[in-house]
Amino acid sequence: KSVDEVGQDVTVISETLNNKLFGGQNSVGKTVMYDGKTYTITGVIETFQPSPKFHDLNNGNFNQSEEVYVPFSVAITHELGTWGNNNGWKNEEINSFAERLPSELLWLQYWVELPSVEQQQQYQTFLDAHVQEQKKLGRFTRVDAAAHMSNVQQWLDQKQVVADDYSVLVGLSFMFLAVCLVNTIGLLLAKFLRRAAEVGVRRALGASQIEVFKQHLIEISLIGFFGGLTGLLFTFGGLAGLRFINPNYSVVANLDMTMVVTVFVIAILSSVMAGLYPAYRICKTNPAVHLKTQ
């Protein structure tokens, strides 16, 4: 808090930058130079790469996170430049950093953590009081002027980070999966029924319906596993192509371990669902019919 008020030249750097400059060693107390000024490192933040980058959508929904953090008071003292959204609701001639501070130009985003409902209500009360105070000073002249808070998900919805087109594509992909499952049922049914004579002999030799059913379910699960593996290889190839075409997609054009596991879970479950009826049909094979045929 004292640093925020006094404005000392201190900084917190990212883990990536710390690895690059100091080889991953403890850099607290060491100095770095930004724009000709020396800053003392007071901390290193672990890798922080939310996707989407909700805290700064103006400079790119999926851009890399920042590697350098300085106190806000330092930004004012050194008159640091700004990037991103610089808009205002009225025409103002701004020729210096000092003129920017009291202007109506919007160039800051403010985030606050409010874990409890009580804290949210208290902060909303604070904002409402601020709006009323500013109205008395001649600002916020609209009748409906009010303070509104949004959580992260609401903010992403308001900024339309994920367009409706993507939701449609996800729906179409599941419809395509359903069509594939229907075709798979037919293929598995034909495959299993061709082995009806073999299953009939096994049943006559003592194999139970449950054993036959389990055998075919295991076969179906293996088909799903290798199908998921094949799909995963195609996916890695496609994502690599996206990263090559546009390096900005490097944050989102990749798969983490959770997604890899999800691929195999969906592939195996889909195969099992498609194979339940064919496996049921083959385990109901009447041994007598096929024994007479033999």
Side-chain angles (χ1 to χ4, degrees):
K1 185 176 180 179
S2 61
V3 171
D4 284 333
E5 295 174 351
V6 178
Q8 297 177 11
D9 289 348
V10 295
T11 182
V12 170
I13 64 175
S14 69
E15 185 178 17
T16 302
L17 186 59
N18 185 67
N19 293 337
K20 186 185 303 181
L21 298 180
F22 303 100
Q25 298 178 358
N26 184 3
S27 59
V28 175
K30 297 182 180 180
T31 59
V32 291
M33 183 172 289
Y34 308 143
D35 198 22
K37 295 180 176 59
T38 302
Y39 292 79
T40 301
I41 299 174
T42 59
V44 177
I45 187 173
E46 292 183 349
T47 301
F48 178 66
Q49 184 58 63
S51 183
K53 187 183 173 187
F54 65 89
H55 59 281
D56 187 13
L57 300 176
N58 294 318
N59 290 321
N61 299 341
F62 301 99
N63 284 6
Q64 294 286 345
S65 288
E66 295 75 18
E67 296 187 350
V68 172
Y69 302 85
V70 297
F72 184 73
S73 54
V74 172
I76 297 177
T77 302
H78 297 324
E79 298 186 357
L80 300 182
T82 62
W83 293 264
N85 186 14
N86 288 266
N87 293 321
W89 61 271
K90 70 177 182 179
N91 186 22
E92 294 180 280
E93 185 176 351
I94 300 175
N95 299 314
S96 66
F97 191 88
E99 292 178 352
R100 172 188 292 270
L101 295 179
S103 70
E104 296 292 344
L105 195 66
L106 301 178
W107 55 283
L108 296 173
Q109 296 186 60
Y110 190 83
W111 287 89
V112 60
E113 183 179 13
L114 304 169
S116 67
V117 176
E118 181 181 1
Q119 289 175 318
Q120 295 172 21
Q121 294 173 345
Q122 291 175 351
Y123 196 74
Q124 183 66 58
T125 302
F126 165 76
L127 293 177
D128 292 338
H130 173 71
V131 171
Q132 296 302 321
E133 180 184 8
Q134 294 301 304
K135 282 186 175 182
K136 294 177 181 179
L137 297 175
R139 299 181 68 237
F140 303 158
T141 56
R142 288 181 48 166
V143 178
D144 59 347
H148 301 283
M149 292 192 302
S150 303
N151 59 32
V152 172
Q153 186 59 55
Q154 292 169 341
W155 179 244
L156 295 176
D157 292 339
Q158 291 173 19
K159 303 297 286 187
Q160 296 183 337
V161 172
V162 180
D164 294 337
D165 295 344
Y166 295 109
S167 300
V168 174
L169 290 176
V170 172
L172 288 175
S173 66
F174 277 102
M175 292 175 63
F176 182 73
L177 176 62
V179 172
C180 292
L181 289 179
V182 173
N183 291 332
T184 302
I185 292 173
L187 292 173
L188 289 176
L189 192 59
K191 173 183 172 64
F192 289 168
L193 290 181
R194 279 201 302 268
R195 299 200 310 230
E198 174 189 339
V199 173
V201 173
R202 287 191 58 210
R203 289 286 315 284
L205 293 176
S208 65
Q209 292 183 357
I210 294 179
E211 290 175 341
V212 174
F213 186 75
K214 287 192 298 184
Q215 171 200 338
H216 287 83
L217 277 187
I218 292 174
E219 181 179 344
I220 293 166
S221 299
L222 289 174
I223 292 174
F225 175 82
F226 286 107
L229 182 61
T230 303
L232 203 58
L233 294 177
F234 278 108
T235 301
F236 279 121
L239 293 177
L242 283 175
R243 292 193 295 269
F244 177 78
I245 295 173
N246 190 340
N248 291 330
Y249 289 157
S250 59
V251 176
V252 292
N254 56 70
L255 294 177
D256 57 19
M257 186 53 62
T258 301
M259 298 176 70
V260 171
V261 173
T262 302
V263 168
F264 285 108
V265 170
I266 292 178
I268 295 174
L269 286 180
S270 300
S271 300
V272 171
M273 289 174 59
L276 284 175
Y277 178 69
Y280 172 78
R281 281 287 305 274
I282 193 63
C283 76
K284 288 294 185 179
T285 299
N286 186 357
V289 174
H290 299 286
L291 288 175
K292 289 180 182 180
T293 303
Q294 294 297 324

